[in-house]
Amino acid sequence: MKLYPTIGLETHAELMTESKLFCSCSAKFGGEENEHCCIGCSGFPGAIPSLNKKALELIVRAGFALDCKISRFTKWERKNYFYPDLPAAYQVSQMERPVCVGGGLEIEAGGETKTIRLNRIHLEEDAGKLNHVGGKSLADYNRTGVPLIEIVTEPDFHSAEEVVAYVEKLRQILQYGDICDGKMEQGSLRCDVNISLAPFGSEKLGTRTEIKNLNSIKAIGRAIAAEIERQTDLLENGEAIIQQTLRFDDATGEIIPMRTKEDAHDYRYFPDPDIPPVVLSEEEIERFRQALPELPGIRLKRYVNDFKLAEKDAVIILNDKRVSDFYDAAVAVHNNPKTLANFIVVELLRRVNLGEADMGALPFSPADFADLQRSVDEGKLNRDVRKDVLREMLESGKSPGQICDEGDLWLKEDSGAVEAVINKVLEANPKAVEQYRNGEVKVFGFLMGQASKELKGSAAPATVKNILESKLKGE
Ligand code: ADP
Ligand code: MG
Ligand code: ZN
């Protein structure tokens, strides 16, 4: 019996707001334990919540970016459960009337394009964090109440590869939309993966399990593969799948049961009496739509159609929003999108990949980077020299102009200046000159090397060769 996997995803994305969802505490990542807390987000009874309007704007933005229907009327429920990371013993969430309904995301996987349908996106509060130290668990409520959107798909995936393609694309859209920073390692984007197996061709889905809180793309791929294997083994041995919540151990690659799965009624959802429903006006929704930043798909079209970049290069630049923003800023200074794209893909990203440059902390501005490329494009600097200047910019943070002045790197336009340098080289190497004139022509390469070293690329190699040859021949 051939078994076929079906997967549905719930993605939690922390919104990029300054403050929490229902109080004015900072929503920033990190800080001293319990530094960003007040009576509201610490669950003291009697604190009056007040909705963060920015969070509402950002979820509507996510809705537009993912083709959802935006509900004008939206409301909140309390989801009740006890766990030490939840001081109020309930989470404010949305069950009946989420802000976004439906929608979809087109992905490419296994050489095919398909649309993953979304069920809904709702707004809720994040829980706190438990730090397990020396056999004790310490609660940190800095994250409690940070606004979160939960993006729920229909069970439309049938392989780990499709899920990975979806998460990568979703993450990019959220980042470009300034909705969520997408930092999975900091937990600001996490996925719950629901998996079931059924006989190939069967209409009915099998019993599902849910792996909670996967926080890297790699872990998502590995966890899905491990869970498909575990369920396959059980089913092939005639055993039943228990609907339960699981955890993936990144270190061992093992799937570990957490608890049997609750159903919605176990949470005793009820309307939050302190948070009035919201009615969004058409004007407000339209204003939110207008504020949606340029999304990666649109930026790709701009790069390919307007900038005439090869799609492959455009995709590489778009892959990291910081690179793409840097590129756009450089093009604004020096309007040569093609040479700047080449410089980024061939040189800057190579340094980044080697760990010699950090896109989050470059010691130079896009304008400096653009200036360097402009010097090359205007014929003032040899193209081969740009990588050396870039390396020095990374090391010293100096401007390209200063580096070229100090290093005498500008392309020497008059041959007199090149000649002067070659004369110096010939004077410094009388023995080699002698050898050449006695017919040992292979020393030419050595002299050429010395001259190039001295000129540091500030003259075209053909010019150097011509002048050197005529000098040696005593012309
Ligand atoms: P809950 O809120 O209890 O986790 P939902 O019904 O909202 O449950 O579903 C959560 C996710 O699980 C959705 O992405 C949905 O597509 C997916 N899902 C539901 N049933 C199955 C199934 N049999 N196999 C795989 N995924 C499923
Ligand atoms: Mg769930
Ligand atoms: Zn607070």
Side-chain angles (χ1 to χ4, degrees):
M1 177 178 64
K2 178 119 178 58
L3 294 165
Y4 190 57
T6 295
I7 305 163
L9 219 64
E10 294 157 282
T11 304
H12 293 96
E14 276 182 3
L15 296 176
M16 286 165 76
T17 56
E18 295 288 323
S19 54
K20 293 186 179 181
L21 188 52
F22 294 112
C23 66
S24 57
C25 291
S26 167
K28 228 167 119 175
F29 176 78
E32 290 283 310
E33 284 86 351
N34 298 307
E35 188 186 337
H36 306 150
C37 297
C38 68
I39 55 165
C41 54
S42 304
F44 284 74
I48 298 301
S50 138
L51 178 68
N52 182 342
K53 249 319 186 29
K54 187 72 190 173
L56 207 54
E57 171 171 359
L58 294 185
I59 186 173
V60 170
R61 229 188 243 189
F64 278 120
L66 297 164
D67 286 335
C68 305
K69 185 176 158 300
I70 311 295
S71 313
R72 285 199 47 207
F73 176 85
T74 188
K75 65 190 191 81
W76 281 265
E77 282 91 13
R78 291 185 180 180
K79 178 177 176 178
N80 298 276
Y81 67 96
F82 176 78
Y83 201 66
D85 67 1
L86 191 71
Y90 64 83
Q91 174 192 33
V92 176
S93 183
Q94 301 193 289
M95 189 178 65
E96 263 181 33
R97 298 297 297 261
V99 179
C100 310
V101 181
L105 184 60
E106 193 180 270
I107 58 158
E108 273 163 56
E112 274 179 55
T113 302
K114 70 185 265 190
T115 299
I116 302 300
R117 292 167 304 152
L118 299 185
N119 175 282
R120 51 147 60 197
I121 310 177
H122 64 252
L123 189 55
E124 63 184 27
E125 300 174 294
D126 207 345
K129 242 183 106 173
L130 295 183
N131 296 319
H132 307 284
V133 231
K136 292 195 175 72
S137 294
L138 303 174
D140 177 5
Y141 296 142
N142 281 346
R143 215 177 65 180
T144 314
V146 167
L148 200 71
I149 53 174
E150 181 170 333
I151 305 161
V152 184
T153 76
E154 295 297 340
D156 281 354
F157 304 95
H158 298 290
S159 70
E161 195 190 350
E162 288 177 356
V163 176
V164 165
Y166 167 88
V167 177
E168 279 174 346
K169 186 153 181 194
L170 179 66
R171 178 166 175 239
Q172 209 181 36
I173 289 173
L174 296 175
Q175 286 174 328
Y176 274 82
D178 287 332
I179 297 163
C180 167
D181 67 22
K183 291 183 179 160
M184 296 187 86
E185 69 289 353
Q186 290 183 0
S188 56
L189 189 78
R190 338 188 270 272
C191 295
D192 298 346
V193 182
N194 296 268
I195 305 180
S196 65
L197 293 185
F200 199 84
S202 125
E203 290 278 301
K204 210 167 145 274
L205 296 178
T207 304
R208 72 176 151 133
T209 59
E210 177 173 8
I211 312 169
K212 283 268 185 209
N213 274 330
L214 294 164
N215 61 0
S216 78
I217 304 241
K218 208 166 150 205
I220 291 171
R222 290 173 66 214
I224 293 173
E227 178 57 9
I228 290 176
E229 192 178 310
R230 190 188 70 90
Q231 289 191 21
T232 306
D233 285 350
L234 286 172
L235 291 171
E236 282 179 351
N237 287 318
E239 289 177 57
I241 304 295
I242 306 165
Q243 181 171 336
Q244 59 182 346
T245 304
L246 309 165
R247 185 169 76 75
F248 176 68
D249 187 323
D250 223 348
T252 62
E254 261 180 321
I255 297 284
I256 300 159
M258 277 169 78
R259 54 174 191 258
T260 54
K261 179 90 184 111
E262 304 81 357
D263 281 318
H265 63 252
D266 296 329
Y267 289 120
R268 298 181 295 119
Y269 276 97
F270 68 87
D272 194 300
D274 290 338
I275 304 166
V278 168
V279 179
L280 285 163
S281 68
E282 294 292 348
E283 294 74 41
E284 222 163 3
I285 294 177
E286 178 55 22
R287 195 158 48 74
F288 293 164
R289 195 182 62 79
Q290 303 251 346
L292 182 65
E294 186 184 39
L295 295 175
I298 294 170
R299 215 180 266 202
L300 176 69
K301 286 203 184 103
R302 180 160 63 82
Y303 286 178
V304 173
N305 297 340
D306 302 353
F307 288 178
K308 311 282 178 228
L309 300 192
E311 182 159 336
K312 176 173 70 69
D313 290 342
V315 167
I316 294 173
I317 291 172
L318 282 161
N319 197 25
D320 182 338
K321 177 166 187 283
R322 296 169 307 178
V323 175
S324 178
D325 287 345
F326 181 91
Y327 172 64
D328 279 336
V331 174
V333 172
H334 171 49
N335 189 16
N336 194 336
K338 288 194 87 156
T339 57
L340 281 168
N342 170 279
F343 194 12
I344 287 183
V345 172
V346 175
E347 291 300 338
L348 183 58
L349 291 182
R350 188 165 67 90
R351 301 275 158 213
V352 170
N353 293 338
L354 288 169
E356 293 170 17
D358 173 1
M359 270 330 281
L362 288 178
F364 52 80
S365 64
D368 276 344
F369 184 83
D371 275 342
L372 173 54
Q373 185 59 44
R374 188 208 318 268
S375 300
V376 174
D377 292 340
E378 290 177 350
K380 292 180 181 154
L381 199 65
N382 195 330
R383 188 175 182 277
D384 297 338
V385 178
R386 80 178 178 180
K387 64 172 187 305
D388 304 322
V389 179
L390 181 69
R391 187 185 317 118
E392 180 144 359
M393 282 163 72
L394 279 169
E395 278 162 15
S396 68
K398 285 181 189 170
S399 75
Q402 191 185 352
I403 293 168
C404 293
D405 283 344
E406 287 174 3
D408 190 20
L409 302 175
W410 299 114
L411 207 55
K412 293 182 176 51
E413 276 185 37
D414 69 307
S415 51
V418 182
E419 216 174 311
V421 174
I422 291 180
N423 279 335
K424 234 174 71 192
V425 169
L426 295 180
E427 272 163 36
N429 297 283
K431 208 169 148 235
V433 175
E434 182 75 30
Q435 284 171 317
Y436 182 86
R437 289 186 176 146
N438 287 335
E440 277 185 59
V441 287
K442 68 171 194 296
V443 295
F444 186 82
F446 165 73
L447 288 167
M448 183 76 192
Q450 293 301 107
S452 304
K453 203 161 122 194
E454 201 64 34
L455 284 157
K456 290 168 287 207
S458 66
T463 314
V464 182
K465 185 164 173 278
N466 287 341
I467 297 177
L468 184 60
E469 244 165 19
S470 61
K471 289 264 150 201
L472 286 168
K473 288 180 180 148
E475 281 161 10

